């Protein structure tokens, strides 16, 4: 999640903030799939790449790759819904336009995946 938050922050958007109406935005995970290929050596430098594979009305899917030393250590697919924490529960909400813009900047075509 830290990489995803860093991606939003780097793009100028702060997720999980309290809104003027008292609700708080959130990005709960609704699906997660991870595959491990290899283990890095102790103290190895690892690169975390994030690309967007799907953008919906209220949700999106990202692909994470962890690479280094010429190989891939792990890949994962992470689907999240945009939600508001209101009255003690979660309610899905449309993706804000600034978030859509940030996601589109990292969107890859199916042929690129």
């Amino acid at each position: 999640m830290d990489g995803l938050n860093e991606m939003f922050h780097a793009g100028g958007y702060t997720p999980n903030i309290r809104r003027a109406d008292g609700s708080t935005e959130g990005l709960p995970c609704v699906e997660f799939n991870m595959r491990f290929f290899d283990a890095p050596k102790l103290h190895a430098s690892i690169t975390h790449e994030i690309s967007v594979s799907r953008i919906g009305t209220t949700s999106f899917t990202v692909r994470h790759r962890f690479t280094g030393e010429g190989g891939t250590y792990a890949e994962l697919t992470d689907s999240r819904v945009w939600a508001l924490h209101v009255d003690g529960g979660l309610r899905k909400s449309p993706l804000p336009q600034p978030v859509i813009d940030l996601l589109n900047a990292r969107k890859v075509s199916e042929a690129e995946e």
Side-chain angles (χ1 to χ4, degrees):
M1 181 64 172
D2 287 341
L4 201 52
N5 275 330
E6 288 176 17
M7 181 187 86
F8 282 117
H9 283 284
Y13 193 89
T14 304
N16 305 310
I17 60 169
R18 182 166 299 279
R19 297 164 26 122
D21 64 5
S23 63
T24 302
E25 295 178 336
L27 300 165
C29 181
V30 294
E31 186 175 350
F32 184 89
N33 183 359
M34 186 169 198
R35 293 178 26 190
F36 292 93
F37 303 107
D38 199 2
K41 293 178 183 169
L42 187 61
H43 305 296
S45 181
I46 298 173
T47 301
H48 179 189
E49 303 166 3
I50 301 174
S51 59
V52 177
S53 58
R54 186 190 63 78
I55 304 169
T57 304
T58 60
S59 63
F60 60 94
T61 301
V62 294
R63 181 173 177 241
H64 303 261
R65 289 183 68 228
F66 297 91
T67 62
E69 298 177 348
T72 299
Y73 299 120
E75 293 180 342
L76 69 97
T77 303
D78 180 12
S79 294
R80 296 189 175 264
V81 66
W82 198 262
L84 299 178
H85 299 266
V86 181
D87 300 325
L90 288 173
R91 183 186 64 200
K92 70 180 179 178
S93 179
L95 293 167
Q97 190 59 49
V99 170
I100 293 170
D101 294 342
L102 284 169
L103 295 172
N104 274 321
R106 290 189 175 249
K107 182 121 174 47
V108 295
S109 69
E110 288 183 25
E112 291 177 275
E113 288 190 16

